[in-house]
Amino acid sequence: MNIRNISAAAVIDAVEQLCIRANTRLPEDVKSALDAAEEAEPWPLAKETLGLLQKNLCVAADKELPICQDTGMACIFVELGRDAHIDGDLQAAIDEGVRRGYAKGYLRKSITADPLKRVNTGDNIPAFVTLHLVEGDHCRITIAPKGAGSENMSRLAMLKPADGVQGVKDFILDTVRQAGANPCPPIVLGVGIGGSFDKCAALAKEALLRPLDAANPDPYYAALEAELKDAINAMGIGPQGFGGRTTCLGVAIKQMPTHVACLPVAVNMSCHVTRRASVML
């Protein structure tokens, strides 16, 4: 078996670049969804608002400026091949990349060292790292900066199995109603169903990594995603809460087995600035 070494320095450089790219350029699938929404939106104020959001995206890309002033928590997802070895401390390398990226890109540092004492770390670390071991000798790194406005609107519920799919739909739709304009719609929803209390929340976060033009591979859940998206857009919240048909750009569900007595459901809400960028080392 040949083990491929990947230097910590390569990880640092990659994360530094990803921090800047993700915060200044929207993924193409999200940009395309906004384009389509603006084209189809019949309500004049909503259409104008979507146009202003598009203008902001263009200025950010042209001038290498943040799409949003809240440049978020650095949520990092790593797929590490079993035949790959990081030559150094992976967490330390990612943290250093975040530190450099947020400094070089003049990105806002938003992390407090303690949740109650509220003292800013000054460099946006630590990064929040999720590691998955996979086949191969590669290391794929994805950053998904997550702002607090949408994160604060996220919820998790431990439903009863008897609540069934209707209970799941009711919880998700109620979460969106309660959020209203707070998460800067049009929103993207990451939904986790199943697992344990903690795993369900992780599923919801990871669901946001799926491109908006890729449906759930299970036809049952793909149909549920489409149904929920239509129901949310029928609420009339609209872009930035000004009304219209464009409240939600996409719903992504990630499901997994769970205990026979459990039905966990988590909604991780994201704003129209659903940022992510990846690199393969």
Side-chain angles (χ1 to χ4, degrees), residues 119-154:
V119 177
N120 199 297
T121 63
D123 50 17
N124 220 57
I125 66 169
F128 299 88
V129 180
T130 300
L131 175 65
H132 293 293
L133 295 178
V134 297
E135 295 298 327
D137 63 357
H138 66 279
C139 178
R140 179 180 175 85
I141 302 174
T142 300
I143 181 170
K146 193 65 167 62
S150 59
E151 191 78 350
N152 285 342
M153 296 297 104
S154 302

Side-chain angles (χ1 to χ4, degrees), residues 71-74 98 102 108-111 120-127:
T71 51
M73 300 178 281
V98 170
Y102 272 70
R108 195 183 86 184
K109 291 84 172 176
S110 303
I111 301 303
N120 199 297
T121 63
D123 50 17
N124 220 57
I125 66 169

Side-chain angles (χ1 to χ4, degrees), residues 158 193-200 203 255-259 262 264:
M158 301 300 291
I193 304 176
S196 57
F197 178 87
D198 56 322
K199 192 66 176 179
C200 189
L203 290 173
Q255 71 280 2
M256 72 178 302
T258 190
H259 191 284
C262 292

Side-chain angles (χ1 to χ4, degrees), residues 75-79 128 130 140-144 205-206 209:
C75 298
I76 310 284
F77 299 84
V78 180
E79 293 180 3
F128 299 88
T130 300
R140 179 180 175 85
I141 302 174
T142 300
I143 181 170
K205 178 75 72 181
E206 291 177 11
L209 301 181

Side-chain angles (χ1 to χ4, degrees), residues 77 188-193 200-212 214 216 225 251-255 266 268 274 276:
F77 299 84
V188 176
L189 288 190
V191 178
I193 304 176
C200 189
L203 290 173
K205 178 75 72 181
E206 291 177 11
L208 291 172
L209 301 181
R210 193 208 309 161
L212 295 182
N216 194 297
E225 289 172 349
V251 177
I253 297 173
K254 193 166 186 179
Q255 71 280 2
N268 193 205
T274 296
R276 45 182 146 76

Side-chain angles (χ1 to χ4, degrees), residues 196-274:
S196 57
F197 178 87
D198 56 322
K199 192 66 176 179
C200 189
L203 290 173
K205 178 75 72 181
E206 291 177 11
L208 291 172
L209 301 181
R210 193 208 309 161
L212 295 182
D213 52 5
N216 194 297
D218 185 323
Y220 176 84
Y221 286 97
L224 182 56
E225 289 172 349
E227 179 185 349
L228 287 166
K229 179 183 174 183
D230 289 344
I232 292 168
N233 282 328
M235 291 180 183
I237 296 170
Q240 304 298 293
F242 293 141
R245 293 183 184 174
T246 311
T247 299
C248 181
L249 297 176
V251 177
I253 297 173
K254 193 166 186 179
Q255 71 280 2
M256 72 178 302
T258 190
H259 191 284
V260 66
C262 292
L263 181 53
V265 186
V267 176
N268 193 205
M269 200 168 291
S270 185
C271 64
H272 70 281
V273 182
T274 296

Side-chain angles (χ1 to χ4, degrees), residues 2-68:
N2 294 321
I3 300 298
R4 176 170 171 259
N5 280 311
I6 300 172
S7 70
V11 174
I12 293 171
D13 290 344
V15 172
E16 176 185 327
Q17 295 170 27
L18 288 175
C19 287
I20 297 172
R21 193 202 321 167
N23 274 296
T24 57
R25 296 179 183 275
L26 206 60
E28 191 56 41
D29 61 288
V30 182
K31 178 68 166 61
S32 295
L34 281 169
D35 289 341
E38 183 183 7
E39 180 69 23
E41 178 59 62
W43 181 246
L45 182 56
K47 195 176 189 72
E48 180 184 359
T49 302
L50 288 168
L52 290 172
L53 297 181
Q54 296 277 32
K55 183 178 179 180
N56 175 66
L57 295 177
C58 292
V59 172
D62 290 344
K63 297 184 178 296
E64 287 287 316
L65 294 171
I67 301 169
C68 176

